[in-house]
Amino acid sequence: MQVSPKPVESPPNRSIKAATLDVQGMKCAGCVSAVERQLTQNPGVIRAQVNLITEVAVVEYEAETIEPDTLAEKLTSRGFPSQLRSANQKRVLPKQQDNLNSQLLIAVILVALSTLGHLEHWVGIKIPAISNIWFHWGLATLTLIFPGRAIIVDGFKGLRYGTPNMNTLVGLGALTAYTASFIALVFPQLGWECFFAEPVMLLGFILLGRTLEGRARKRASAALEALLALQPPVARLVAKNNAQEGIEIPIEQLREGEWVRVLPGEKIPVDGEIVAGETTVDESMLTGEAIPISKHLGDKVTAGTMNQGGAISVQATDIGENTTLAQIIKLVEDAQTRKAPVQQLADTVAGYFAYGVMATASLTFLFWYFIGTKIWEGIFPTMTMGSHEMAMVTTTSPLLLSLKLAIAVLVVACPCALGLATPTAILVGTGVGAEQGLLIKGGDILEQVHRLDTIVFDKTGTLTVGKPVVTDYIEINCSENNLLQLAATVESGTNHPLASAIIKAAKERELPLLEAEDFQTASGLGVEAKVEQQQILLGNRSWLEKHRVQISPEIEAKADNIAQVGKTLVYLAIAGEIAGIIALQDTLREEGKETIKQLQKMGLEVVMLTGDSEEVGNAIAQQLHISQVYTNVTPENKAAKIKSLQAEDKIVAMVGDGINDAVALAQANISISLHSGTDVAIETAGIVLMRDNLKDVVKAIDLSLATFNKIRQNLFWALGYNLFAIPVAAGILLPKFGIVLSPAAAGAFMAFSSVIVVTNSLLLRRRFAN
């Protein structure tokens, strides 16, 4: 996967849109580079990101300048058949395995016949019927026409359009070996030997490698395929006045507000609310909990979960792309398209790789033909460590030696391994994460996590469950019920968790809300309103101090005693005079202390931010063993605190869940949001924890680090392999040791280098298996 950055800023008033193209015909990193280059060269295209494995291109463009259909047509004309994916089109992962299997079967038969025909050459066993040189010419010809045809045609298309790829290199190598052998067959007076086994073996090993690679890719895509399979294709639509009978319709045709009937053992097709019946639902795909959840009238259900108990009727509240399942799938797909910056070197190399390899092969031929074989005239006698075609080149002709070395260079080089290094690791890592409720939004996030040294937690709703309850009252100039009634009335104009708790307490006491007007809210401080012609202030101590409300030392002492045990205080003033204080307490998450402990063991500095008072903040921090805590922090100042940490050269992660965390999440290097949080926080976050369990913070960081390490290992292997294999194929070991790679052996090494990259990425699944 590669991004071709294009530093073009859209002019004002331009409409920036994104389109997804399904692109066929990509074989290696060179193809990815070519597709992205062709896309970004179009006026109006801002950025293009291409994924080799999922065969998807995501394009950002100016709607007034170019249409995505035009981009698809241009790609198609350049040898990469493409089409725009519509909003309602069902996502289907690319499937080419059946065709590869049939090609491999033919190639295996041809390789077996070629091997039997060369037994005389290798071990002295002659089978007259298949030892004839014309028989081997026929095998090589059939190999080029049938299993090798697609490779050769695609390779020369790439060459024709100026985008040579791995197939170009393999095709050139196979055809060169075949042509040289055919000339030797037709003109025996030249004294060349034929090596028709080379194209047969070469293409056979290439197809074997691709088949194994394809199977490994399929395993790497298993998590996304499993998510796609969760969405049932049809829904049983029922009338609202008759929820027992219905008709099955495609899920795309269902509308919000309609009722669907879900029988036991069926997947729920939409996000909705139960309007008839009760059941138990397996929500393990969303929560990871294997125990089914009881669902009753009015309860929410989620698309893709399994109805296990009774028949229910569900009113659709979210359909299509708006369902939780669809959003998870989209996040995973987007993540698999976004690349890690560490891939930039490989991307740059891949864009010129095929040209460099062809140039190297040409230089190899010229060097050995005109210089090498003349400098080391005694080279041929030393090349007798065995005559096995797979181990070395055996020839007495300088021309054929030079030619075989050049062919080996062409086919040993592996741009595919470079192209697979990052996307396979991201594909597996994000897929494993999705299975475990961890949505990591891309390779760029993975690389930042690798550098992480500080993690900042919001308190309310993150370290705590976010559902405080009223626990104490300090009555001053107001009775307890009147204090609660006034507070609930003023809080009715806000949606803060503390407001919800106060309103709930008032409802439990059946206290009616009073008439109120002129609501004014100061984020992080409090609220002001006029209730029955009285000016009411409700908020923290700073809010009252800002309005010059005096609090006696005796009252402050009482309040401090309550705050020291971790309770949050809400002060109420009437007409500028303190009237009372309400104390609330939010429960710490059960897993909070263990999570903080594990993060600190990983060497991370843990920080807590809270808008609460110093007493409350310190009490919570002490329970969690957090040494660094910032209190009385307004939402606006949360981002400033993150920025101050970054100014100390720290790489900071922020964990939050609310609207007031969005700016801080955006400021942080890595942002982590709980799924129970607001849409704004989830949209801003780079990592979303679907199970609302703080322990998943540790798991997400661990998975990110492991995935990024796989990326580095893959890139090290891909670059290291090519840096080592190409010189060996070019004959660097020939003068001293008399050993070189034959074209067939080179093809085998090339094919399996890609398999190694994909297999290494798949090891992530074993490590993080549930």
Side-chain angles (χ1 to χ4, degrees), residues 29-30 84 185 209 288 308 311 326 341 345 370 393 424 465 553-554 594 641 676:
L84 176 66
L185 177 64
Q308 291 191 332
L345 174 61
F370 291 105
V393 176
T424 51
V465 296
E554 295 80 7
E594 180 62 26
K641 291 295 183 184
S676 60

Side-chain angles (χ1 to χ4, degrees), residues 643-716:
K643 195 171 184 178
S644 67
L645 291 170
Q646 291 170 328
E648 300 173 15
D649 294 327
K650 296 182 182 296
I651 304 300
V652 182
M654 169 73 183
V655 185
D657 74 318
I659 292 177
N660 57 7
D661 297 326
V663 178
L665 287 169
Q667 177 63 43
N669 301 95
I670 306 106
S671 48
I672 305 173
S673 174
L674 304 178
H675 187 252
S676 60
T678 62
D679 290 342
V680 174
I682 293 172
E683 183 66 27
T684 306
I687 300 175
V688 180
L689 310 180
M690 298 298 296
R691 299 177 185 175
D692 292 322
N693 189 318
L694 276 186
K695 287 184 178 179
D696 283 347
V697 173
V698 178
K699 190 179 292 185
I701 292 174
D702 193 24
L703 176 60
S704 298
L705 291 173
T707 304
F708 184 71
N709 284 335
K710 286 297 178 188
I711 291 174
R712 294 201 304 182
Q713 290 168 13
N714 289 346
L715 286 174
F716 178 81

Side-chain angles (χ1 to χ4, degrees), residues 492-516:
S492 65
T494 66
N495 58 0
H496 192 276
L498 296 180
S500 300
I502 291 173
I503 293 171
K504 181 180 179 182
K507 287 182 178 179
E508 289 174 349
R509 295 194 181 191
E510 298 182 350
L511 300 174
L513 298 181
L514 305 174
E515 293 290 332

Side-chain angles (χ1 to χ4, degrees), residues 239-460:
K240 294 181 180 180
N241 58 355
N242 182 6
Q244 301 301 317
E245 298 181 4
I247 182 173
E248 289 189 349
I249 63 171
I251 191 66
E252 308 87 48
Q253 297 178 10
L254 192 67
R255 298 177 181 176
E256 289 186 13
E258 293 183 324
W259 287 21
V260 295
R261 188 72 169 168
V262 187
L263 302 179
E266 294 182 343
K267 292 174 184 173
I268 297 172
V270 293
D271 287 3
E273 180 179 309
I274 296 178
V275 290
E278 57 182 36
T279 187
T280 56
V281 177
D282 179 2
E283 296 185 335
S284 57
M285 75 92 183
L286 186 65
T287 66
E289 297 296 333
I291 301 175
I293 309 297
S294 296
K295 297 288 184 179
H296 306 280
L297 196 67
D299 286 346
K300 302 290 186 183
V301 290
T302 306
T305 57
M306 180 69 74
N307 179 25
Q308 291 191 332
I312 55 173
S313 294
V314 177
Q315 184 175 22
T317 56
D318 293 294
I319 60 175
E321 294 184 337
N322 296 322
T323 65
T324 301
L325 176 60
Q327 291 171 1
I328 292 174
I329 292 172
K330 185 177 187 305
L331 284 173
V332 173
E333 287 189 312
D334 289 347
Q336 292 172 354
T337 304
R338 289 167 60 174
K339 71 160 189 160
V342 73
Q343 177 75 5
Q344 191 62 50
L345 174 61
D347 292 344
T348 303
V349 171
Y352 305 97
F353 190 87
Y355 291 109
V357 171
M358 288 188 289
T360 302
S362 299
L363 291 174
T364 297
F365 175 82
L366 294 173
F367 171 79
W368 282 105
Y369 185 70
F370 291 105
I371 301 174
T373 52
K374 293 179 174 57
I375 294 177
W376 297 288
E377 291 183 359
I379 193 171
F380 299 112
T382 66
M383 296 173 58
T384 57
M385 296 176 61
S387 57
H388 197 293
E389 280 285 334
M390 293 303 298
M392 63 186 58
V393 176
T394 56
T395 181
T396 56
S397 166
L399 176 62
L400 290 190
L401 172 65
S402 304
L403 192 60
K404 287 188 176 184
L405 291 174
I407 294 172
V409 170
L410 284 173
V411 299
V412 81
C414 189
C416 198
L418 286 171
L420 293 171
T422 292
T424 51
I426 293 176
L427 187 73
V428 176
T430 54
V432 169
E435 290 176 344
Q436 302 190 12
L438 313 171
L439 299 185
I440 304 169
K441 294 185 179 179
D444 50 339
I445 306 298
L446 298 172
E447 183 160 344
Q448 288 282 35
V449 172
H450 176 73
R451 301 165 55 214
L452 179 66
D453 54 32
T454 305
I455 185 163
V456 178
F457 285 88
D458 171 59
K459 179 184 78 70
T460 304

Side-chain angles (χ1 to χ4, degrees), residues 438-627:
L438 313 171
L439 299 185
I440 304 169
K441 294 185 179 179
D444 50 339
I445 306 298
L446 298 172
E447 183 160 344
Q448 288 282 35
V449 172
H450 176 73
R451 301 165 55 214
L452 179 66
D453 54 32
T454 305
I455 185 163
V456 178
F457 285 88
D458 171 59
K459 179 184 78 70
T460 304
T462 304
L463 292 172
T464 65
V465 296
K467 296 180 179 179
V469 294
V470 176
T471 59
D472 301 278
Y473 301 88
I474 299 178
E475 303 172 41
I476 303 173
N477 298 320
C478 194
S479 69
E480 189 173 295
N481 278 351
N482 194 22
L483 177 64
L484 183 58
Q485 186 179 38
L486 285 171
T489 299
V490 175
E491 291 283 33
S492 65
T494 66
N495 58 0
H496 192 276
L498 296 180
S500 300
I502 291 173
I503 293 171
K504 181 180 179 182
K507 287 182 178 179
E508 289 174 349
R509 295 194 181 191
E510 298 182 350
L511 300 174
L513 298 181
L514 305 174
E515 293 290 332
E517 57 184 3
D518 299 335
F519 288 94
Q520 296 182 25
T521 301
S523 182
L525 293 173
V527 62
E528 179 180 2
K530 185 176 289 186
V531 180
E532 296 185 342
Q533 304 306 312
Q534 296 184 95
Q535 200 67 24
I536 307 296
L537 294 172
L538 185 72
N540 57 27
R541 188 179 300 182
S542 299
W543 181 237
L544 266 63
E545 290 174 352
K546 183 177 180 179
H547 288 81
R548 296 187 174 85
V549 176
Q550 299 296 320
I551 303 175
S552 69
E554 295 80 7
I555 298 299
E556 284 188 355
K558 287 184 180 180
D560 290 343
N561 287 334
I562 295 175
Q564 284 173 1
V565 296
K567 295 182 180 181
T568 300
L569 302 179
V570 177
Y571 296 77
L572 186 139
I574 303 175
E577 298 289 334
I578 182 73
I581 303 172
I582 299 175
L584 302 96
Q585 188 167 33
D586 195 358
T587 306
L588 284 175
R589 290 180 181 267
E590 293 181 2
E591 71 277 11
K593 187 178 295 184
E594 180 62 26
T595 298
I596 300 302
K597 182 179 178 180
Q598 290 185 37
L599 291 171
Q600 290 170 338
K601 279 186 177 180
M602 295 170 71
L604 297 176
E605 180 182 353
V606 180
V607 179
M608 186 179 81
L609 296 181
T610 177
D612 279 329
S613 66
E614 184 176 349
E615 295 84 0
V616 174
N618 288 336
I620 297 294
Q622 187 175 3
Q623 294 180 56
L624 295 171
H625 303 294
I626 298 175
S627 59

Side-chain angles (χ1 to χ4, degrees), residues 18-34:
T20 300
L21 304 177
D22 291 310
V23 184
Q24 300 178 28
M26 295 187 293
K27 300 298 187 299
C28 64
C31 298
V32 173
S33 176

